[in-house]
Amino acid sequence: MTQAAVFLATCPKSNSTLTTYSNARKAVLEHGPLPVPLKLRNAPTPLMKAMGYSGGYRYPHNFSGNYVPEEYLPDALRGQRFYEPGTSGEEPQIRERLERWRAEREERRQAEEAEDASVAAAARALDK
């Protein structure tokens, strides 16, 4: 226990987690309880599965780097950032990793929008 206490006492300190908590709490107070995105909901019954629960969820540990460029926040909070790493300890490396993940997620979002636009254009062409 003494070694753990000394280790923790001498680690680089940051208030990033405190500001993260504060930002998340503020969002909860502003928006109230928001619905969990369907892809994150458990689907224990056939009805729930038919309603889209857990549909399209990609388990990150089944992918390279244990990461998939997904958005997990409710729609009302989409794109918000609660955690911004500081400059202490491992936070610069965390910042780099988050920037890479955010770029991957943005690329995926743009690809999905382009695909949706293509499908919509094809549907309009068929309607004519």
Side-chain angles (χ1 to χ4, degrees):
M1 287 293 243
T2 305
Q3 286 180 332
V6 170
F7 175 79
L8 293 174
T10 58
C11 283
K13 305 298 186 283
S14 170
N15 72 340
S16 296
T17 53
L18 179 60
T19 56
T20 298
Y21 171 77
S22 178
N23 293 338
R25 186 175 189 278
K26 181 180 175 189
V28 168
L29 292 174
E30 287 177 4
H31 296 278
L34 295 171
V36 173
L38 288 177
K39 70 180 169 190
L40 298 180
R41 296 184 193 183
N42 189 26
T45 68
L47 175 61
M48 290 172 143
K49 196 156 197 79
M51 292 172 65
Y53 284 35
S54 76
Y57 177 74
R58 299 182 316 153
Y59 184 61
H61 295 280
N62 288 343
F63 294 86
S64 174
N66 299 324
Y67 172 76
V68 291
E70 294 276 330
E71 179 73 50
Y72 297 119
L73 291 173
D75 289 341
L77 299 176
R78 189 166 290 250
Q80 277 199 300
R81 293 183 184 175
F82 297 104
Y83 174 65
E84 287 297 333
T87 57
S88 298
E90 301 293 318
E91 289 183 302
Q93 291 84 358
I94 293 170
R95 179 179 299 282
E96 289 175 14
R97 186 168 46 247
L98 287 174
E99 287 172 357
R100 187 175 65 250
W101 288 348
R102 288 170 178 154
E104 289 175 20
R105 191 172 59 232
E106 179 61 19
E107 286 175 16
R108 178 164 183 198
R109 186 191 63 75
Q110 289 177 358
E112 287 173 352
E113 283 181 2
E115 183 178 338
D116 290 347
S118 175
V119 168
R124 284 192 301 275
L126 289 173
D127 288 343
K128 289 182 181 181

